[in-house]
């Protein structure tokens, strides 16, 4: 459901739905179920019988919804709103990611709070509020699309961010294995109001990932695509020890202009404790699947061979010397086909492979 035209429709505008396959055993097979996440926005639109929010590409306010959301955020009780105060028009559709933590399913949307669902019936239980231990209600923060669970400690680590306050900031949030808040560290960003989609964790560190896709509020209120990708700006990795409680301990490391929407893996270098290795899906640039415009494109460089179109992602390896605050290796791990449409037409080899 969206009031915007198909031309302005973003692929993340739809309401989130969780699909679940339960494996019952060798003899009994499996069951399949799916359910919409019963978000506040879904229930609001169902009760009104119409679409009431704008989409991600065009954030022009629809005033009846705008004023209602604004009132709820400023005067509502804790938990009455599912996104921070600066998200005043978009719905939280809980459709970005899905994480399992402490026996609960979390459906996430990165500019709002996670929704908690019950297993196995996928009933929506409400907002994930860290077992009631979050101090400020849900008014100021959000929950990253891709929170991480430490497989050894069971801790859940996520980030939230704020694109409106000056300077823009992010928060590194750590919850215990049973879901209670352990700590949150508020970190000022080194550059603009960046869209922060993903991050990494290692045994000892959190790896923050800040690219130059920045919100421009004036464009947002004028109805233009609200983000700019700045080809002249740096990209940053921020390294924070997981044992630290202070933003002063973040080590910011400059990297080449690019965008890393997703972090595939990160680990402390077993041969050098001062280094971390990060694998990302690196893009030459991104316009957020239609949410942005190019800025300073004449400064674009191509340090890794063939230029990529926006939103084409390639596996990339970064080696970061933390103590020197420097990227010491940046390697594209494969070259994409020149024309993806041609690669689909490749003939299948008929002969059997030769095994040496
Ligand atoms: Fe994602």
């Amino acid at each position: 459901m969206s009031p915007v035209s198909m031309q302005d429709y973003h692929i993340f505008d739809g309401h989130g739905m969780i699909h679940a396959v339960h494996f019952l055993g060798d003899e009994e097979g499996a069951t399949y179920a799916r359910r919409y996440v019963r978000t506040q926005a879904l229930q609001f639109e169902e009760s009104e019988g119409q679409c009431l929010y704008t989409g991600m590409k065009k954030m022009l306010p629809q005033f009846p919804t705008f004023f209602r959301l604004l009132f709820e955020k400023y005067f509502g009780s804790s938990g009455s709103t599912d996104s921070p105060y600066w998200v005043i028009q978009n719905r939280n559709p809980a459709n970005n990611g899905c994480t399992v933590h402490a026996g609960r399913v979390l459906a996430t949307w990165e500019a709002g709070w996670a929704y908690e669902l019950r297993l196995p019936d996928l009933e929506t239980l409400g907002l994930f509020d860290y077992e009631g231990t979050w101090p400020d209600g849900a008014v100021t923060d959000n929950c990253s699309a891709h929170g991480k669970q430490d497989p050894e400690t069971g801790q859940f680590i996520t980030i939230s961010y704020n694109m409106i306050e000056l300077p823009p900031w992010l928060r590194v949030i750590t919850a215990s294995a049973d879901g209670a808040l352990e700590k949150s560290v508020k970190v000022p960003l080194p550059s603009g109001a960046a869209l922060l989609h993903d991050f990494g964790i290692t045994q000892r560190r959190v790896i923050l990932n800040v690219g130059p896709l920045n919100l421009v509020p004036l464009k947002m209120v004028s109805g233009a695509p609200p983000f700019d990708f700045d080809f002249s700006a740096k990209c940053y990795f921020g390294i924070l020890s997981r044992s630290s409680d202070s933003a002063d301990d973040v080590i910011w490391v400059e990297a080449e202009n690019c965008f890393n929407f997703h972090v595939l893996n990160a680990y402390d270098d077993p041969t050098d404790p001062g280094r971390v290795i990060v694998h990302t899906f690196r893009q030459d640039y991104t316009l957020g699947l239609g949410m942005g415009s190019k800025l300073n494109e004449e400064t674009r460089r191509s340090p890794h061979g063939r230029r990529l179109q926006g939103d084409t992602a390639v596996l990339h390896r970064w080696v970061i010397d933390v103590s020197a605050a420097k990227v010491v290796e940046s390697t594209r791990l494969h070259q994409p086909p020149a024309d993806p449409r041609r690669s689909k037409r490749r003939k299948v080899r008929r002969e059997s492979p030769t095994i040496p």
Side-chain angles (χ1 to χ4, degrees), residues 212-232:
L213 182 65
N214 297 328
L215 181 72
V216 183
L218 275 179
K219 295 180 77 173
M220 183 173 68
V221 297
S222 71
F227 289 87
D228 275 344
F229 183 91
D230 187 351
F231 285 92
S232 68

mmCIF file of all heavy atoms in Angstrom, residues 212-232:
data_model
loop_
_atom_site.group_PDB
_atom_site.id
_atom_site.type_symbol
_atom_site.label_atom_id
_atom_site.label_comp_id
_atom_site.label_asym_id
_atom_site.label_seq_id
_atom_site.Cartn_x
_atom_site.Cartn_y
_atom_site.Cartn_z
ATOM 1 N N PRO A 212 29.458 8.059 1.877
ATOM 2 C CA PRO A 212 29.032 9.441 1.574
ATOM 3 C C PRO A 212 27.668 9.547 0.906
ATOM 4 O O PRO A 212 27.500 10.263 -0.060
ATOM 5 C CB PRO A 212 30.153 9.919 0.640
ATOM 6 C CG PRO A 212 30.576 8.678 -0.079
ATOM 7 C CD PRO A 212 30.394 7.534 0.880
ATOM 8 N N LEU A 213 26.680 8.804 1.416
ATOM 9 C CA LEU A 213 25.296 8.960 0.959
ATOM 10 C C LEU A 213 24.551 9.687 2.076
ATOM 11 O O LEU A 213 24.193 9.096 3.100
ATOM 12 C CB LEU A 213 24.658 7.592 0.686
ATOM 13 C CG LEU A 213 23.218 7.622 0.146
ATOM 14 C CD1 LEU A 213 23.167 8.260 -1.244
ATOM 15 C CD2 LEU A 213 22.617 6.216 0.109
ATOM 16 N N ASN A 214 24.367 10.983 1.881
ATOM 17 C CA ASN A 214 23.923 11.848 2.981
ATOM 18 C C ASN A 214 22.524 12.408 2.743
ATOM 19 O O ASN A 214 22.173 12.807 1.620
ATOM 20 C CB ASN A 214 24.893 13.025 3.140
ATOM 21 C CG ASN A 214 26.287 12.559 3.521
ATOM 22 O OD1 ASN A 214 26.452 11.560 4.214
ATOM 23 N ND2 ASN A 214 27.294 13.281 3.040
ATOM 24 N N LEU A 215 21.760 12.476 3.833
ATOM 25 C CA LEU A 215 20.426 13.076 3.769
ATOM 26 C C LEU A 215 20.552 14.586 3.610
ATOM 27 O O LEU A 215 21.363 15.226 4.285
ATOM 28 C CB LEU A 215 19.654 12.764 5.051
ATOM 29 C CG LEU A 215 18.227 13.305 5.108
ATOM 30 C CD1 LEU A 215 17.316 12.518 4.178
ATOM 31 C CD2 LEU A 215 17.687 13.269 6.530
ATOM 32 N N VAL A 216 19.736 15.139 2.706
ATOM 33 C CA VAL A 216 19.691 16.592 2.520
ATOM 34 C C VAL A 216 18.259 17.039 2.851
ATOM 35 O O VAL A 216 17.349 16.887 2.036
ATOM 36 C CB VAL A 216 20.053 16.974 1.072
ATOM 37 C CG1 VAL A 216 20.085 18.489 0.913
ATOM 38 C CG2 VAL A 216 21.392 16.362 0.673
ATOM 39 N N PRO A 217 18.047 17.561 4.060
ATOM 40 C CA PRO A 217 16.672 17.865 4.494
ATOM 41 C C PRO A 217 15.905 18.767 3.540
ATOM 42 O O PRO A 217 14.708 18.581 3.332
ATOM 43 C CB PRO A 217 16.885 18.521 5.864
ATOM 44 C CG PRO A 217 18.160 17.939 6.357
ATOM 45 C CD PRO A 217 19.023 17.773 5.147
ATOM 46 N N LEU A 218 16.583 19.747 2.925
ATOM 47 C CA LEU A 218 15.867 20.650 2.022
ATOM 48 C C LEU A 218 15.304 19.905 0.819
ATOM 49 O O LEU A 218 14.215 20.204 0.337
ATOM 50 C CB LEU A 218 16.806 21.764 1.540
ATOM 51 C CG LEU A 218 16.929 22.978 2.465
ATOM 52 C CD1 LEU A 218 17.909 23.979 1.880
ATOM 53 C CD2 LEU A 218 15.562 23.632 2.682
ATOM 54 N N LYS A 219 16.058 18.915 0.334
ATOM 55 C CA LYS A 219 15.558 18.118 -0.782
ATOM 56 C C LYS A 219 14.373 17.275 -0.334
ATOM 57 O O LYS A 219 13.430 17.050 -1.087
ATOM 58 C CB LYS A 219 16.674 17.230 -1.334
ATOM 59 C CG LYS A 219 17.822 18.024 -1.943
ATOM 60 C CD LYS A 219 18.910 17.133 -2.471
ATOM 61 C CE LYS A 219 18.523 16.508 -3.791
ATOM 62 N NZ LYS A 219 19.639 15.769 -4.407
ATOM 63 N N MET A 220 14.438 16.813 0.896
ATOM 64 C CA MET A 220 13.365 15.969 1.426
ATOM 65 C C MET A 220 12.044 16.740 1.436
ATOM 66 O O MET A 220 11.025 16.248 0.961
ATOM 67 C CB MET A 220 13.735 15.518 2.838
ATOM 68 C CG MET A 220 12.739 14.592 3.479
ATOM 69 S SD MET A 220 13.357 13.957 5.042
ATOM 70 C CE MET A 220 13.352 15.417 6.062
ATOM 71 N N VAL A 221 12.076 17.971 1.957
ATOM 72 C CA VAL A 221 10.819 18.716 2.074
ATOM 73 C C VAL A 221 10.371 19.305 0.738
ATOM 74 O O VAL A 221 9.227 19.732 0.603
ATOM 75 C CB VAL A 221 10.922 19.842 3.133
ATOM 76 C CG1 VAL A 221 11.172 19.271 4.500
ATOM 77 C CG2 VAL A 221 12.008 20.852 2.762
ATOM 78 N N SER A 222 11.260 19.294 -0.263
ATOM 79 C CA SER A 222 10.842 19.794 -1.573
ATOM 80 C C SER A 222 10.285 18.679 -2.449
ATOM 81 O O SER A 222 9.825 18.926 -3.558
ATOM 82 C CB SER A 222 12.028 20.454 -2.288
ATOM 83 O OG SER A 222 12.958 19.457 -2.700
ATOM 84 N N GLY A 223 10.367 17.436 -1.957
ATOM 85 C CA GLY A 223 9.823 16.321 -2.728
ATOM 86 C C GLY A 223 10.825 15.700 -3.671
ATOM 87 O O GLY A 223 10.493 14.788 -4.432
ATOM 88 N N ALA A 224 12.081 16.153 -3.661
ATOM 89 C CA ALA A 224 13.124 15.564 -4.511
ATOM 90 C C ALA A 224 13.685 14.321 -3.818
ATOM 91 O O ALA A 224 13.505 14.143 -2.609
ATOM 92 C CB ALA A 224 14.239 16.577 -4.741
ATOM 93 N N PRO A 225 14.380 13.424 -4.561
ATOM 94 C CA PRO A 225 15.054 12.302 -3.889
ATOM 95 C C PRO A 225 15.930 12.859 -2.764
ATOM 96 O O PRO A 225 16.744 13.758 -2.986
ATOM 97 C CB PRO A 225 15.882 11.675 -5.005
ATOM 98 C CG PRO A 225 15.132 11.999 -6.253
ATOM 99 C CD PRO A 225 14.554 13.376 -6.017
ATOM 100 N N PRO A 226 15.787 12.362 -1.542
ATOM 101 C CA PRO A 226 16.314 13.078 -0.372
ATOM 102 C C PRO A 226 17.792 12.904 -0.075
ATOM 103 O O PRO A 226 18.311 13.538 0.834
ATOM 104 C CB PRO A 226 15.469 12.506 0.767
ATOM 105 C CG PRO A 226 15.045 11.162 0.289
ATOM 106 C CD PRO A 226 14.911 11.246 -1.191
ATOM 107 N N PHE A 227 18.512 12.036 -0.811
ATOM 108 C CA PHE A 227 19.925 11.789 -0.504
ATOM 109 C C PHE A 227 20.819 12.246 -1.644
ATOM 110 O O PHE A 227 20.422 12.263 -2.807
ATOM 111 C CB PHE A 227 20.171 10.295 -0.267
ATOM 112 C CG PHE A 227 19.591 9.785 1.025
ATOM 113 C CD1 PHE A 227 18.282 9.349 1.086
ATOM 114 C CD2 PHE A 227 20.354 9.764 2.184
ATOM 115 C CE1 PHE A 227 17.732 8.889 2.273
ATOM 116 C CE2 PHE A 227 19.816 9.310 3.378
ATOM 117 C CZ PHE A 227 18.503 8.864 3.420
ATOM 118 N N ASP A 228 22.062 12.610 -1.292
ATOM 119 C CA ASP A 228 23.112 12.885 -2.273
ATOM 120 C C ASP A 228 24.259 11.913 -2.053
ATOM 121 O O ASP A 228 24.691 11.718 -0.898
ATOM 122 C CB ASP A 228 23.678 14.309 -2.096
ATOM 123 C CG ASP A 228 22.853 15.346 -2.838
ATOM 124 O OD1 ASP A 228 22.047 14.963 -3.719
ATOM 125 O OD2 ASP A 228 23.005 16.539 -2.521
ATOM 126 N N PHE A 229 24.761 11.306 -3.135
ATOM 127 C CA PHE A 229 26.020 10.564 -3.034
ATOM 128 C C PHE A 229 27.118 11.488 -3.514
ATOM 129 O O PHE A 229 27.150 11.911 -4.671
ATOM 130 C CB PHE A 229 26.012 9.281 -3.878
ATOM 131 C CG PHE A 229 27.283 8.497 -3.707
ATOM 132 C CD1 PHE A 229 27.370 7.529 -2.720
ATOM 133 C CD2 PHE A 229 28.410 8.753 -4.482
ATOM 134 C CE1 PHE A 229 28.546 6.822 -2.514
ATOM 135 C CE2 PHE A 229 29.592 8.060 -4.281
ATOM 136 C CZ PHE A 229 29.665 7.095 -3.300
ATOM 137 N N ASP A 230 28.073 11.799 -2.622
ATOM 138 C CA ASP A 230 29.119 12.781 -2.911
ATOM 139 C C ASP A 230 30.407 12.062 -3.333
ATOM 140 O O ASP A 230 31.087 11.445 -2.509
ATOM 141 C CB ASP A 230 29.371 13.641 -1.670
ATOM 142 C CG ASP A 230 30.318 14.790 -1.957
ATOM 143 O OD1 ASP A 230 30.901 14.824 -3.065
ATOM 144 O OD2 ASP A 230 30.475 15.659 -1.081
ATOM 145 N N PHE A 231 30.734 12.152 -4.642
ATOM 146 C CA PHE A 231 31.928 11.474 -5.152
ATOM 147 C C PHE A 231 33.225 12.096 -4.645
ATOM 148 O O PHE A 231 34.288 11.522 -4.830
ATOM 149 C CB PHE A 231 31.924 11.498 -6.685
ATOM 150 C CG PHE A 231 30.958 10.530 -7.306
ATOM 151 C CD1 PHE A 231 29.673 10.929 -7.613
ATOM 152 C CD2 PHE A 231 31.328 9.228 -7.570
ATOM 153 C CE1 PHE A 231 28.774 10.038 -8.190
ATOM 154 C CE2 PHE A 231 30.444 8.337 -8.148
ATOM 155 C CZ PHE A 231 29.161 8.740 -8.453
ATOM 156 N N SER A 232 33.153 13.270 -4.062
ATOM 157 C CA SER A 232 34.378 13.917 -3.591
ATOM 158 C C SER A 232 34.663 13.622 -2.114
ATOM 159 O O SER A 232 35.677 14.071 -1.579
ATOM 160 C CB SER A 232 34.277 15.435 -3.787
ATOM 161 O OG SER A 232 33.303 15.978 -2.915
#
